[in-house]
Amino acid sequence: MIPGPDYPGYPTRPARGPIRDRRQRGVARGMGAALLVVILTLVVSWSFAPVLSPTDRVLRAVAAATVAALWLAAAIGHVAALRFESPADIDAAAGGGGDSPRIAIAQAVLRNTLEQVVLAVPAYIALAWVVEGSGAMVPMLAALFSIGRTLFWANYARGAAARAFGFALGFYSSVAALVIVLVALVGRII
């Protein structure tokens, strides 16, 4: 464990060691592959960047944000539908009872989707607003987000290694957009 400050109650975290577990290797492979796909997609979309007005770029960002929001709506609806169809789960959360494994998985997918949407939406809008050559990038990133959500959701129950690629496809595409925006803004300041 890595020690915390010298006062009681401060949480500590384990030291990060080498990858020893096959699941960790699977996650690392999935995330590495997703990073490569995101980079290649950005390079291709940058090379085919149409010249668009700021209004048209922002409209593309709004469309991309709508796609992300629809994924969130689907995840919310999925949890609601599973609760509705199961007498044991319909009141489990309000009654203080535990959720079934199906509900627990659906809620995990919902939480992760919410986190990803919260990251993606401002990334799309900022990219469209700040980067003139983002006309093709934003829709491509939204497509990666959708592919990533599909793979993450479909493979969630199969374990971390199975869902890593889908997770990372959405996550890295949003982070890449934010990094591009930051670089563009710093470039304007310098």
Side-chain angles (χ1 to χ4, degrees), residues 128-158:
W129 186 256
V130 172
V131 179
E132 290 179 13
S134 65
M137 268 190 236
V138 172
M140 294 295 278
L141 293 176
L144 290 179
F145 183 90
S146 290
I147 294 166
R149 286 292 86 197
T150 300
L151 295 172
F152 180 82
W153 196 334
N155 292 310
Y156 191 89
R158 293 181 49 221

PDB file of all heavy atoms in Angstrom, residues 128-158:
ATOM      1  N   ALA A 128     -16.197  21.314 -31.973  1.00  0.00           N
ATOM      2  CA  ALA A 128     -16.849  21.991 -33.098  1.00  0.00           C
ATOM      3  C   ALA A 128     -16.678  23.498 -33.030  1.00  0.00           C
ATOM      4  O   ALA A 128     -16.508  24.156 -34.059  1.00  0.00           O
ATOM      5  CB  ALA A 128     -18.337  21.638 -33.120  1.00  0.00           C
ATOM      6  N   TRP A 129     -16.694  24.044 -31.854  1.00  0.00           N
ATOM      7  CA  TRP A 129     -16.603  25.490 -31.704  1.00  0.00           C
ATOM      8  C   TRP A 129     -15.189  26.005 -31.927  1.00  0.00           C
ATOM      9  O   TRP A 129     -14.990  27.043 -32.553  1.00  0.00           O
ATOM     10  CB  TRP A 129     -17.092  25.906 -30.317  1.00  0.00           C
ATOM     11  CG  TRP A 129     -17.169  27.381 -30.146  1.00  0.00           C
ATOM     12  CD1 TRP A 129     -16.302  28.165 -29.451  1.00  0.00           C
ATOM     13  CD2 TRP A 129     -18.147  28.252 -30.703  1.00  0.00           C
ATOM     14  NE1 TRP A 129     -16.681  29.480 -29.529  1.00  0.00           N
ATOM     15  CE2 TRP A 129     -17.825  29.558 -30.301  1.00  0.00           C
ATOM     16  CE3 TRP A 129     -19.267  28.062 -31.511  1.00  0.00           C
ATOM     17  CZ2 TRP A 129     -18.579  30.659 -30.679  1.00  0.00           C
ATOM     18  CZ3 TRP A 129     -20.015  29.160 -31.871  1.00  0.00           C
ATOM     19  CH2 TRP A 129     -19.672  30.435 -31.459  1.00  0.00           C
ATOM     20  N   VAL A 130     -14.205  25.263 -31.443  1.00  0.00           N
ATOM     21  CA  VAL A 130     -12.825  25.760 -31.418  1.00  0.00           C
ATOM     22  C   VAL A 130     -12.018  25.358 -32.653  1.00  0.00           C
ATOM     23  O   VAL A 130     -11.206  26.136 -33.140  1.00  0.00           O
ATOM     24  CB  VAL A 130     -12.112  25.279 -30.129  1.00  0.00           C
ATOM     25  CG1 VAL A 130     -10.628  25.608 -30.146  1.00  0.00           C
ATOM     26  CG2 VAL A 130     -12.784  25.876 -28.905  1.00  0.00           C
ATOM     27  N   VAL A 131     -12.241  24.169 -33.181  1.00  0.00           N
ATOM     28  CA  VAL A 131     -11.384  23.635 -34.247  1.00  0.00           C
ATOM     29  C   VAL A 131     -12.100  23.743 -35.590  1.00  0.00           C
ATOM     30  O   VAL A 131     -13.099  23.067 -35.829  1.00  0.00           O
ATOM     31  CB  VAL A 131     -10.976  22.176 -33.948  1.00  0.00           C
ATOM     32  CG1 VAL A 131     -10.111  21.619 -35.059  1.00  0.00           C
ATOM     33  CG2 VAL A 131     -10.256  22.096 -32.604  1.00  0.00           C
ATOM     34  N   GLU A 132     -11.571  24.583 -36.450  1.00  0.00           N
ATOM     35  CA  GLU A 132     -12.211  24.813 -37.748  1.00  0.00           C
ATOM     36  C   GLU A 132     -12.285  23.552 -38.601  1.00  0.00           C
ATOM     37  O   GLU A 132     -13.221  23.372 -39.352  1.00  0.00           O
ATOM     38  CB  GLU A 132     -11.477  25.926 -38.497  1.00  0.00           C
ATOM     39  CG  GLU A 132     -11.669  27.290 -37.868  1.00  0.00           C
ATOM     40  CD  GLU A 132     -10.930  28.385 -38.606  1.00  0.00           C
ATOM     41  OE1 GLU A 132     -10.470  28.141 -39.744  1.00  0.00           O
ATOM     42  OE2 GLU A 132     -10.813  29.480 -38.041  1.00  0.00           O
ATOM     43  N   GLY A 133     -11.318  22.687 -38.500  1.00  0.00           N
ATOM     44  CA  GLY A 133     -11.289  21.481 -39.314  1.00  0.00           C
ATOM     45  C   GLY A 133     -11.999  20.294 -38.678  1.00  0.00           C
ATOM     46  O   GLY A 133     -11.701  19.146 -38.995  1.00  0.00           O
ATOM     47  N   SER A 134     -12.947  20.558 -37.790  1.00  0.00           N
ATOM     48  CA  SER A 134     -13.602  19.466 -37.062  1.00  0.00           C
ATOM     49  C   SER A 134     -14.874  18.969 -37.735  1.00  0.00           C
ATOM     50  O   SER A 134     -15.581  18.134 -37.163  1.00  0.00           O
ATOM     51  CB  SER A 134     -13.935  19.925 -35.640  1.00  0.00           C
ATOM     52  OG  SER A 134     -14.893  20.977 -35.682  1.00  0.00           O
ATOM     53  N   GLY A 135     -15.156  19.432 -38.932  1.00  0.00           N
ATOM     54  CA  GLY A 135     -16.405  19.074 -39.599  1.00  0.00           C
ATOM     55  C   GLY A 135     -16.636  17.592 -39.760  1.00  0.00           C
ATOM     56  O   GLY A 135     -17.759  17.109 -39.637  1.00  0.00           O
ATOM     57  N   ALA A 136     -15.592  16.829 -40.037  1.00  0.00           N
ATOM     58  CA  ALA A 136     -15.734  15.373 -40.159  1.00  0.00           C
ATOM     59  C   ALA A 136     -15.435  14.667 -38.844  1.00  0.00           C
ATOM     60  O   ALA A 136     -15.922  13.565 -38.602  1.00  0.00           O
ATOM     61  CB  ALA A 136     -14.809  14.850 -41.255  1.00  0.00           C
ATOM     62  N   MET A 137     -14.635  15.309 -37.989  1.00  0.00           N
ATOM     63  CA  MET A 137     -14.230  14.666 -36.737  1.00  0.00           C
ATOM     64  C   MET A 137     -15.397  14.402 -35.804  1.00  0.00           C
ATOM     65  O   MET A 137     -15.512  13.314 -35.246  1.00  0.00           O
ATOM     66  CB  MET A 137     -13.226  15.558 -35.987  1.00  0.00           C
ATOM     67  CG  MET A 137     -11.812  15.278 -36.288  1.00  0.00           C
ATOM     68  SD  MET A 137     -10.820  16.201 -35.116  1.00  0.00           S
ATOM     69  CE  MET A 137      -9.828  17.098 -36.265  1.00  0.00           C
ATOM     70  N   VAL A 138     -16.234  15.401 -35.626  1.00  0.00           N
ATOM     71  CA  VAL A 138     -17.315  15.266 -34.647  1.00  0.00           C
ATOM     72  C   VAL A 138     -18.256  14.107 -34.995  1.00  0.00           C
ATOM     73  O   VAL A 138     -18.535  13.267 -34.130  1.00  0.00           O
ATOM     74  CB  VAL A 138     -18.060  16.609 -34.469  1.00  0.00           C
ATOM     75  CG1 VAL A 138     -19.299  16.437 -33.620  1.00  0.00           C
ATOM     76  CG2 VAL A 138     -17.133  17.656 -33.857  1.00  0.00           C
ATOM     77  N   PRO A 139     -18.739  13.996 -36.233  1.00  0.00           N
ATOM     78  CA  PRO A 139     -19.589  12.840 -36.541  1.00  0.00           C
ATOM     79  C   PRO A 139     -18.851  11.505 -36.411  1.00  0.00           C
ATOM     80  O   PRO A 139     -19.448  10.504 -35.986  1.00  0.00           O
ATOM     81  CB  PRO A 139     -20.018  13.074 -37.992  1.00  0.00           C
ATOM     82  CG  PRO A 139     -19.767  14.503 -38.269  1.00  0.00           C
ATOM     83  CD  PRO A 139     -18.681  14.936 -37.352  1.00  0.00           C
ATOM     84  N   MET A 140     -17.573  11.491 -36.747  1.00  0.00           N
ATOM     85  CA  MET A 140     -16.804  10.253 -36.616  1.00  0.00           C
ATOM     86  C   MET A 140     -16.651   9.861 -35.143  1.00  0.00           C
ATOM     87  O   MET A 140     -16.753   8.680 -34.792  1.00  0.00           O
ATOM     88  CB  MET A 140     -15.429  10.397 -37.270  1.00  0.00           C
ATOM     89  CG  MET A 140     -15.484  10.568 -38.770  1.00  0.00           C
ATOM     90  SD  MET A 140     -16.133   9.132 -39.613  1.00  0.00           S
ATOM     91  CE  MET A 140     -14.674   8.133 -39.675  1.00  0.00           C
ATOM     92  N   LEU A 141     -16.424  10.853 -34.282  1.00  0.00           N
ATOM     93  CA  LEU A 141     -16.319  10.560 -32.853  1.00  0.00           C
ATOM     94  C   LEU A 141     -17.648  10.064 -32.302  1.00  0.00           C
ATOM     95  O   LEU A 141     -17.683   9.167 -31.456  1.00  0.00           O
ATOM     96  CB  LEU A 141     -15.840  11.796 -32.093  1.00  0.00           C
ATOM     97  CG  LEU A 141     -14.407  12.233 -32.389  1.00  0.00           C
ATOM     98  CD1 LEU A 141     -14.078  13.523 -31.650  1.00  0.00           C
ATOM     99  CD2 LEU A 141     -13.415  11.145 -32.050  1.00  0.00           C
ATOM    100  N   ALA A 142     -18.751  10.635 -32.780  1.00  0.00           N
ATOM    101  CA  ALA A 142     -20.075  10.156 -32.355  1.00  0.00           C
ATOM    102  C   ALA A 142     -20.306   8.729 -32.833  1.00  0.00           C
ATOM    103  O   ALA A 142     -20.920   7.919 -32.114  1.00  0.00           O
ATOM    104  CB  ALA A 142     -21.164  11.086 -32.875  1.00  0.00           C
ATOM    105  N   ALA A 143     -19.809   8.402 -34.013  1.00  0.00           N
ATOM    106  CA  ALA A 143     -19.928   7.027 -34.507  1.00  0.00           C
ATOM    107  C   ALA A 143     -19.107   6.080 -33.636  1.00  0.00           C
ATOM    108  O   ALA A 143     -19.580   4.985 -33.278  1.00  0.00           O
ATOM    109  CB  ALA A 143     -19.476   6.944 -35.968  1.00  0.00           C
ATOM    110  N   LEU A 144     -17.888   6.493 -33.273  1.00  0.00           N
ATOM    111  CA  LEU A 144     -17.074   5.665 -32.381  1.00  0.00           C
ATOM    112  C   LEU A 144     -17.764   5.494 -31.031  1.00  0.00           C
ATOM    113  O   LEU A 144     -17.736   4.406 -30.442  1.00  0.00           O
ATOM    114  CB  LEU A 144     -15.684   6.280 -32.185  1.00  0.00           C
ATOM    115  CG  LEU A 144     -14.748   6.248 -33.380  1.00  0.00           C
ATOM    116  CD1 LEU A 144     -13.420   6.909 -33.018  1.00  0.00           C
ATOM    117  CD2 LEU A 144     -14.526   4.836 -33.882  1.00  0.00           C
ATOM    118  N   PHE A 145     -18.376   6.562 -30.533  1.00  0.00           N
ATOM    119  CA  PHE A 145     -19.105   6.498 -29.273  1.00  0.00           C
ATOM    120  C   PHE A 145     -20.204   5.438 -29.365  1.00  0.00           C
ATOM    121  O   PHE A 145     -20.360   4.604 -28.472  1.00  0.00           O
ATOM    122  CB  PHE A 145     -19.708   7.865 -28.938  1.00  0.00           C
ATOM    123  CG  PHE A 145     -20.407   7.913 -27.615  1.00  0.00           C
ATOM    124  CD1 PHE A 145     -19.721   8.265 -26.462  1.00  0.00           C
ATOM    125  CD2 PHE A 145     -21.759   7.613 -27.497  1.00  0.00           C
ATOM    126  CE1 PHE A 145     -20.364   8.315 -25.231  1.00  0.00           C
ATOM    127  CE2 PHE A 145     -22.414   7.650 -26.279  1.00  0.00           C
ATOM    128  CZ  PHE A 145     -21.711   8.006 -25.142  1.00  0.00           C
ATOM    129  N   SER A 146     -20.965   5.471 -30.446  1.00  0.00           N
ATOM    130  CA  SER A 146     -22.067   4.524 -30.620  1.00  0.00           C
ATOM    131  C   SER A 146     -21.571   3.086 -30.758  1.00  0.00           C
ATOM    132  O   SER A 146     -22.136   2.159 -30.157  1.00  0.00           O
ATOM    133  CB  SER A 146     -22.907   4.893 -31.845  1.00  0.00           C
ATOM    134  OG  SER A 146     -23.624   6.068 -31.591  1.00  0.00           O
ATOM    135  N   ILE A 147     -20.513   2.889 -31.513  1.00  0.00           N
ATOM    136  CA  ILE A 147     -19.938   1.550 -31.640  1.00  0.00           C
ATOM    137  C   ILE A 147     -19.429   1.085 -30.279  1.00  0.00           C
ATOM    138  O   ILE A 147     -19.648  -0.063 -29.873  1.00  0.00           O
ATOM    139  CB  ILE A 147     -18.819   1.534 -32.701  1.00  0.00           C
ATOM    140  CG1 ILE A 147     -19.401   1.799 -34.090  1.00  0.00           C
ATOM    141  CG2 ILE A 147     -18.052   0.211 -32.671  1.00  0.00           C
ATOM    142  CD1 ILE A 147     -18.365   2.132 -35.145  1.00  0.00           C
ATOM    143  N   GLY A 148     -18.756   1.990 -29.576  1.00  0.00           N
ATOM    144  CA  GLY A 148     -18.238   1.659 -28.250  1.00  0.00           C
ATOM    145  C   GLY A 148     -19.335   1.297 -27.267  1.00  0.00           C
ATOM    146  O   GLY A 148     -19.234   0.311 -26.529  1.00  0.00           O
ATOM    147  N   ARG A 149     -20.412   2.062 -27.255  1.00  0.00           N
ATOM    148  CA  ARG A 149     -21.533   1.760 -26.353  1.00  0.00           C
ATOM    149  C   ARG A 149     -22.162   0.414 -26.703  1.00  0.00           C
ATOM    150  O   ARG A 149     -22.504  -0.364 -25.817  1.00  0.00           O
ATOM    151  CB  ARG A 149     -22.612   2.842 -26.424  1.00  0.00           C
ATOM    152  CG  ARG A 149     -22.285   4.134 -25.757  1.00  0.00           C
ATOM    153  CD  ARG A 149     -22.185   4.048 -24.231  1.00  0.00           C
ATOM    154  NE  ARG A 149     -20.869   3.639 -23.796  1.00  0.00           N
ATOM    155  CZ  ARG A 149     -20.551   3.164 -22.593  1.00  0.00           C
ATOM    156  NH1 ARG A 149     -21.462   3.019 -21.681  1.00  0.00           N
ATOM    157  NH2 ARG A 149     -19.334   2.825 -22.283  1.00  0.00           N
ATOM    158  N   THR A 150     -22.314   0.140 -27.986  1.00  0.00           N
ATOM    159  CA  THR A 150     -22.891  -1.136 -28.411  1.00  0.00           C
ATOM    160  C   THR A 150     -22.036  -2.298 -27.913  1.00  0.00           C
ATOM    161  O   THR A 150     -22.552  -3.264 -27.324  1.00  0.00           O
ATOM    162  CB  THR A 150     -23.008  -1.195 -29.943  1.00  0.00           C
ATOM    163  OG1 THR A 150     -23.842  -0.123 -30.389  1.00  0.00           O
ATOM    164  CG2 THR A 150     -23.575  -2.523 -30.407  1.00  0.00           C
ATOM    165  N   LEU A 151     -20.734  -2.212 -28.128  1.00  0.00           N
ATOM    166  CA  LEU A 151     -19.830  -3.289 -27.718  1.00  0.00           C
ATOM    167  C   LEU A 151     -19.745  -3.407 -26.194  1.00  0.00           C
ATOM    168  O   LEU A 151     -19.722  -4.518 -25.648  1.00  0.00           O
ATOM    169  CB  LEU A 151     -18.443  -3.071 -28.317  1.00  0.00           C
ATOM    170  CG  LEU A 151     -18.382  -3.164 -29.841  1.00  0.00           C
ATOM    171  CD1 LEU A 151     -17.009  -2.734 -30.345  1.00  0.00           C
ATOM    172  CD2 LEU A 151     -18.730  -4.568 -30.303  1.00  0.00           C
ATOM    173  N   PHE A 152     -19.703  -2.282 -25.511  1.00  0.00           N
ATOM    174  CA  PHE A 152     -19.637  -2.291 -24.052  1.00  0.00           C
ATOM    175  C   PHE A 152     -20.881  -2.965 -23.476  1.00  0.00           C
ATOM    176  O   PHE A 152     -20.793  -3.862 -22.640  1.00  0.00           O
ATOM    177  CB  PHE A 152     -19.518  -0.853 -23.536  1.00  0.00           C
ATOM    178  CG  PHE A 152     -19.437  -0.751 -22.041  1.00  0.00           C
ATOM    179  CD1 PHE A 152     -18.243  -0.949 -21.385  1.00  0.00           C
ATOM    180  CD2 PHE A 152     -20.565  -0.433 -21.288  1.00  0.00           C
ATOM    181  CE1 PHE A 152     -18.163  -0.847 -19.997  1.00  0.00           C
ATOM    182  CE2 PHE A 152     -20.497  -0.329 -19.911  1.00  0.00           C
ATOM    183  CZ  PHE A 152     -19.291  -0.539 -19.263  1.00  0.00           C
ATOM    184  N   TRP A 153     -22.031  -2.537 -23.956  1.00  0.00           N
ATOM    185  CA  TRP A 153     -23.304  -3.052 -23.443  1.00  0.00           C
ATOM    186  C   TRP A 153     -23.439  -4.545 -23.763  1.00  0.00           C
ATOM    187  O   TRP A 153     -23.785  -5.345 -22.897  1.00  0.00           O
ATOM    188  CB  TRP A 153     -24.434  -2.262 -24.072  1.00  0.00           C
ATOM    189  CG  TRP A 153     -25.777  -2.377 -23.421  1.00  0.00           C
ATOM    190  CD1 TRP A 153     -26.247  -3.413 -22.668  1.00  0.00           C
ATOM    191  CD2 TRP A 153     -26.824  -1.422 -23.486  1.00  0.00           C
ATOM    192  NE1 TRP A 153     -27.527  -3.154 -22.270  1.00  0.00           N
ATOM    193  CE2 TRP A 153     -27.911  -1.932 -22.751  1.00  0.00           C
ATOM    194  CE3 TRP A 153     -26.970  -0.194 -24.110  1.00  0.00           C
ATOM    195  CZ2 TRP A 153     -29.111  -1.249 -22.618  1.00  0.00           C
ATOM    196  CZ3 TRP A 153     -28.168   0.483 -23.970  1.00  0.00           C
ATOM    197  CH2 TRP A 153     -29.217  -0.038 -23.230  1.00  0.00           C
ATOM    198  N   ALA A 154     -23.152  -4.921 -24.984  1.00  0.00           N
ATOM    199  CA  ALA A 154     -23.311  -6.315 -25.396  1.00  0.00           C
ATOM    200  C   ALA A 154     -22.354  -7.249 -24.662  1.00  0.00           C
ATOM    201  O   ALA A 154     -22.676  -8.417 -24.431  1.00  0.00           O
ATOM    202  CB  ALA A 154     -23.105  -6.433 -26.903  1.00  0.00           C
ATOM    203  N   ASN A 155     -21.190  -6.758 -24.302  1.00  0.00           N
ATOM    204  CA  ASN A 155     -20.165  -7.611 -23.696  1.00  0.00           C
ATOM    205  C   ASN A 155     -19.997  -7.409 -22.199  1.00  0.00           C
ATOM    206  O   ASN A 155     -19.104  -8.006 -21.598  1.00  0.00           O
ATOM    207  CB  ASN A 155     -18.821  -7.375 -24.389  1.00  0.00           C
ATOM    208  CG  ASN A 155     -18.840  -7.867 -25.810  1.00  0.00           C
ATOM    209  OD1 ASN A 155     -19.237  -8.997 -26.070  1.00  0.00           O
ATOM    210  ND2 ASN A 155     -18.434  -7.028 -26.733  1.00  0.00           N
ATOM    211  N   TYR A 156     -20.829  -6.591 -21.589  1.00  0.00           N
ATOM    212  CA  TYR A 156     -20.628  -6.260 -20.179  1.00  0.00           C
ATOM    213  C   TYR A 156     -20.556  -7.499 -19.292  1.00  0.00           C
ATOM    214  O   TYR A 156     -19.636  -7.640 -18.485  1.00  0.00           O
ATOM    215  CB  TYR A 156     -21.724  -5.313 -19.661  1.00  0.00           C
ATOM    216  CG  TYR A 156     -21.354  -4.779 -18.311  1.00  0.00           C
ATOM    217  CD1 TYR A 156     -20.605  -3.621 -18.197  1.00  0.00           C
ATOM    218  CD2 TYR A 156     -21.672  -5.472 -17.143  1.00  0.00           C
ATOM    219  CE1 TYR A 156     -20.212  -3.155 -16.962  1.00  0.00           C
ATOM    220  CE2 TYR A 156     -21.283  -5.020 -15.915  1.00  0.00           C
ATOM    221  CZ  TYR A 156     -20.551  -3.860 -15.816  1.00  0.00           C
ATOM    222  OH  TYR A 156     -20.140  -3.405 -14.595  1.00  0.00           O
ATOM    223  N   ALA A 157     -21.504  -8.379 -19.441  1.00  0.00           N
ATOM    224  CA  ALA A 157     -21.580  -9.553 -18.559  1.00  0.00           C
ATOM    225  C   ALA A 157     -20.441 -10.539 -18.784  1.00  0.00           C
ATOM    226  O   ALA A 157     -20.191 -11.396 -17.935  1.00  0.00           O
ATOM    227  CB  ALA A 157     -22.922 -10.260 -18.742  1.00  0.00           C
ATOM    228  N   ARG A 158     -19.727 -10.407 -19.892  1.00  0.00           N
ATOM    229  CA  ARG A 158     -18.629 -11.333 -20.199  1.00  0.00           C
ATOM    230  C   ARG A 158     -17.332 -10.957 -19.498  1.00  0.00           C
ATOM    231  O   ARG A 158     -16.338 -11.657 -19.608  1.00  0.00           O
ATOM    232  CB  ARG A 158     -18.414 -11.397 -21.709  1.00  0.00           C
ATOM    233  CG  ARG A 158     -19.610 -12.053 -22.415  1.00  0.00           C
ATOM    234  CD  ARG A 158     -19.448 -12.167 -23.919  1.00  0.00           C
ATOM    235  NE  ARG A 158     -18.170 -12.732 -24.279  1.00  0.00           N
ATOM    236  CZ  ARG A 158     -17.426 -12.291 -25.298  1.00  0.00           C
ATOM    237  NH1 ARG A 158     -17.843 -11.294 -26.051  1.00  0.00           N
ATOM    238  NH2 ARG A 158     -16.287 -12.860 -25.576  1.00  0.00           N
TER     239      ARG A 158
END
